[in-house]
Amino acid sequence: MMHMTFYWSRQVTLLFSSWRTDSWPSYALTLLACVLASVFYQYLEHVRYRVRRSRKPAGEPLLSQPNRASGKWSAKKIAGGLLFGLSSGLGYLLMLAVMSFNGGVFLAIVLGLTIGFLWLRSEDEDEIAGVNSTCACA
């Protein structure tokens, strides 16, 4: 049965018809998999951000135009593209898992995204805030 509203049950079908839980241990493992997948999503976003930031020289403004003539297929561009593809695919799978409308799955994914952000990406926000706070824009 496909639910159209949130429900709370240990019985859930997630992403594939073969991924069904019918006991508390299988449900707990499913929730753990959701948390780990969400943390991994944040890790991929963190790595992708680092690859993208490593392209710009330290003194170059963030909004400057890229030099499109040099290195159309550089290793960094290919790595960035692959990371974007992996991150997008995993993000869509997480979205589809949330669309199972199981409350525990939803909370597990939000918990994993929160843990991943606090663990890996909150320093990225601090760097951006540090750049903006050092601006003498008066």
Side-chain angles (χ1 to χ4, degrees):
M1 176 171 94
M2 176 133 176
H3 294 272
M4 298 305 290
T5 59
F6 277 105
Y7 70 99
W8 299 92
S9 173
R10 64 178 163 81
Q11 296 176 344
V12 64
T13 302
L14 197 64
L15 299 177
F16 309 103
S17 59
S18 60
W19 190 350
R20 293 178 187 215
T21 64
D22 54 358
S23 65
W24 287 109
S26 64
Y27 185 61
L29 287 174
T30 295
L31 295 182
L32 180 63
C34 289
V35 169
L36 293 176
S38 301
V39 171
F40 185 63
Y41 172 80
Q42 288 292 355
Y43 173 75
L44 287 175
E45 286 294 310
H46 172 72
V47 171
R48 191 168 72 91
Y49 174 78
R50 291 293 181 195
V51 167
R52 187 174 63 232
R53 291 280 294 166
S54 69
R55 289 186 190 157
K56 293 195 178 291
E60 188 175 341
L62 288 175
L63 297 177
S64 66
Q65 292 293 333
N67 184 1
R68 300 207 187 270
S70 65
K72 266 192 170 178
W73 293 100
S74 68
K76 286 185 180 181
K77 281 188 178 184
I78 292 171
L82 289 174
L83 286 169
F84 176 78
L86 285 171
S87 173
S88 296
L90 182 56
Y92 281 119
L93 286 175
L94 290 172
M95 178 195 64
L96 288 172
V98 167
M99 289 176 60
S100 71
F101 290 104
N102 183 278
V105 170
F106 172 76
L107 291 176
I109 289 173
V110 170
L111 177 68
L113 290 172
T114 303
I115 291 169
F117 178 82
L118 291 173
W119 181 35
L120 298 165
R121 297 192 61 206
S122 61
E123 65 191 32
D124 297 344
E125 300 295 323
D126 293 341
E127 283 180 13
I128 292 171
V131 168
N132 292 337
S133 66
T134 59
C135 176
C137 304

